DNA sequence: AATGAATGAGATTTCATTCAT
DNA sequence: GATGAATGAAATCTCATTCAT
């Protein structure tokens, strides 16, 4: 029971931080405000996180893990490459759209100097299955023979842009539109047998 | 003459701010540091900008204008739609890569709450020629009949991603790779007569 | 039995406090650190001491008692005044050198405002035998007719200085040197029949 | 004029700190209190001192310099060794008595962990003339052949003790008593031709 | 116009103490 | 009796902004 409450308090702090940081930004979100909104003492936050920077980093890392997990949800290494691609792609953008605060938070602090990036190795390990998929797709001549980084940019870039436009301009991203966009993304990387 | 000196000092402040903010981030860039690096008094900055927030906004707006200008550089409304697209697209990514600080600054603070979004109208006016180009391309069945926002995302998203990967991971973006990527982007939006 | 365990825990707290305070100083020795090093809960300390200030004071008083006791160790009111003096003097400096933490603690916090001075009466009662010895020495024309406070200063002052120099500069205080110093101290207060 | 005011403000901060620290101690003397008593803003203190620790250290160093200067006041390398000794000794204790706050401050924080001791070299350079005097006195068989550290302890120790007793117990230290004590101190270190 | 010393509000963080378990 | 999670008052320190020069 106590275990449970403790876990809840950590989660509570992270969730409150996410809510306030996406609304007000890092500057306008003092620890005292987080404590107040979470209904706890300011000092309590320091029992769970060393300092504000660590709190942000933990939140960052947690969200990244959730995003990766969501992207791989129900993913099976079967079906055509295109089908598999669209599954991953839609999983990802759907999560971004369904969790706007997490998406906004990651995008906003992605390059902030106080966010210690996961090491390149960490990122590679986590994204290994995806990378593997791209490599196989290229080998099978399902995808163009483009550098991995170019492929990532061609597929991930539009997700970020679409999600941002969605958030900024209240554009409705219906399933049809997502389907269209996924198709277009595939066209960008799909192997073209004859020109 | 005084006008001229004044303009210089304003530019100096903006440039120094850009340098420091991209290196240290918003937090670690107090007004006093900007003043010191610019070789002027802290109070002087307040003769050119109302406060720190306005300074950031002005810098933001200036950079945006430069980006738009760079994108339209040497653009002529002639040639095929594909050629015209690739001209715009390459102009844009080239500017991002050649001006990493400006790119990083805009990306980093794009969604910070203290950056007042340009009104939608402003954006539309500035981007009108581009939008017009997309509309014409669709009408001419050179581009797929996708929503404007989807088209923007499909073309602009990869630019941001590629530039970030370039900056983060020191990937060389040779002209060949840019050409490849531009081709792929076009494939994403290009009209496909038969499937 | 419970009494016994209780006494042990009290002693444990005092000893741990002494260790940490001499190493890190008052500031860097929070109650939580004492508890941690003592292997007990922070709250437990408050069952033995009203608050941090009282804890320090208790430690202070305990050490003072030990110092007095050590000084009077094996002291007999027989032999010449000089012999009796040297016995007391050597006992005292030996204790300071053999218990550097206690010495350092008392010296460091002797004049700190949060240490409530023992009342003058307390000090007089505890030091009564010593004072009595000085009075007798003066009456017997073994010591100069100096005010008591001057005598104390002439004899106690060098002990503190020697012990500090010993601790600070790692000077070896051999028995020979202590003997020398004791002799010199006696010269300071010894009655001089003719000048 | 501005120069003068600036110097005054630094001095004002140091003096106010000395007053409050000797009265309330380090803990009970927050920066805000110093600022308030000095009639300045709290932030202003940080223009003159990096942080609280540096402030204390500066105060410490300044006082030490004043003490050394006072001790050497009107000192001439002429007259008998005893006369010269008594001049130095009286200068020193007189300064301690006349500047009780400075004396108390130095004694109180002498061994606090946050006080960075002057390096041994610094101390040696400053005290070189004194040391030289002791060495000459020994060579001339005016002083006993004791280790330097023992001599220092025999002469400096009583000064500290007397000054403390004076401060603590409001003992009047008349010139007669100082003269007595100086004589006694000299007896401690004076060469004894025959025993 | 330019300066930069001074300000003080407000941020982060610590830690003595309490109290439910 | 013992614990240690939680508290929140209070400390240190920063920095956007002002204003006398």
């Amino acid at each position: 029971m106590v275990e449970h409450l403790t876990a809840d308090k950590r989660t509570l702090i992270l969730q409150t931080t996410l809510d306030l940081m996406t609304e007000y930004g890092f500057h306008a979100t003092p620890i005292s405000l987080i404590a107040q909104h979470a209904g706890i003492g300011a000092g309590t936050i320091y029992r769970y996180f060393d300092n504000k920077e660590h709190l942000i980093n933990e939140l960052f890392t947690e969200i990244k893990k959730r995003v990766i997990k969501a992207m791989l949800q129900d993913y099976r290494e079967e079906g055509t490459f295109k089908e598999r691609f669209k599954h991953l792609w839609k999983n990802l953008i759907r999560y971004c759209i369904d969790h706007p605060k997490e998406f906004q938070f990651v995008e906003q602090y992605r390059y902030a100097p106080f966010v210690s990036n996961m090491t390149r190795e960490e990122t590679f390990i986590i994204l290994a299955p995806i990378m593997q998929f791209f490599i196989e797709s290229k080998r099978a001549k399902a995808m163009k023979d483009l550098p991995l980084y170019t492929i990532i940019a061609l597929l991930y870039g539009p997700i970020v842009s679409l999600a941002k436009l969605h958030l900024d301009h209240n554009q409705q991203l219906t399933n049809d539109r997502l389907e269209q966009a996924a198709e277009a993304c595939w066209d960008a990387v799909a192997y073209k047998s004859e020109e």
Side-chain angles (χ1 to χ4, degrees), chain A residues 6 29 32 34 36-37 63 84 128 136 139 146 160 167 182:
Chain A
T6 296
T29 308
S32 57
I34 298 172
Q36 185 189 311
H37 277 248
I63 292 175
R84 286 158 69 187
E136 283 176 33
R139 195 179 298 142
L146 295 166
V160 173
L167 286 173

Side-chain angles (χ1 to χ4, degrees), chain A residues 31-194:
Chain A
I31 291 287
S32 57
L33 191 72
I34 298 172
Q36 185 189 311
H37 277 248
I40 59 175
T44 304
I45 292 174
Y46 288 86
R47 285 201 61 78
Y48 294 90
F49 306 94
D50 284 350
N51 51 48
K52 200 181 179 184
E53 196 171 320
H54 276 70
L55 169 56
I56 304 303
N57 270 291
E58 288 286 290
L59 181 53
F60 205 84
T61 305
E62 291 244 340
I63 292 175
K64 271 200 165 177
K65 282 181 189 160
R66 285 187 226 158
V67 169
I68 301 285
K69 194 179 160 199
M71 181 168 60
L72 295 172
Q73 181 99 35
D74 299 325
Y75 176 68
R76 294 286 178 277
E77 298 192 351
E78 52 198 34
T80 68
F81 286 105
K82 183 178 177 183
E83 283 165 357
R84 286 158 69 187
F85 154 75
K86 283 170 74 175
H87 183 90
L88 292 168
W89 196 91
K90 284 184 183 173
N91 266 354
L92 183 51
I93 196 166
R94 179 54 63 204
Y95 190 84
C96 294
I97 290 164
D98 290 346
H99 303 83
K101 284 178 184 169
E102 299 188 15
F103 172 72
Q104 196 182 330
F105 178 82
V106 167
E107 276 302 309
Q108 191 165 145
Y109 298 105
R110 172 77 183 82
Y111 287 91
F114 51 85
V115 170
S116 59
N117 288 318
M118 275 196 220
T119 61
R120 199 180 297 199
E121 288 102 67
E122 273 184 306
T123 309
F124 261 85
I125 290 166
I126 290 173
L127 291 178
I130 314 298
M131 298 301 190
Q132 193 53 41
F133 170 72
F134 292 156
I135 291 166
E136 283 176 33
S137 302
K138 290 203 292 184
R139 195 179 298 142
K141 290 207 187 284
M143 276 192 190
K144 292 169 186 161
D145 185 27
L146 295 166
L148 271 184
Y149 280 113
T150 303
I151 292 175
I152 293 170
L154 288 168
L155 302 180
Y156 181 64
I159 288 176
V160 173
S161 279
L162 271 171
K164 280 185 178 177
L165 290 168
H166 172 71
L167 286 173
D168 287 8
H169 301 283
N170 299 317
Q171 291 299 306
Q172 289 300 338
L173 271 177
T174 59
N175 279 330
D176 280 358
R177 290 203 170 177
L178 284 187
E179 177 63 28
Q180 272 184 324
E183 282 284 339
C185 269
W186 180 253
D187 289 340
V189 296
Y191 190 81
K192 298 196 289 186
S193 50
E194 63 207 287

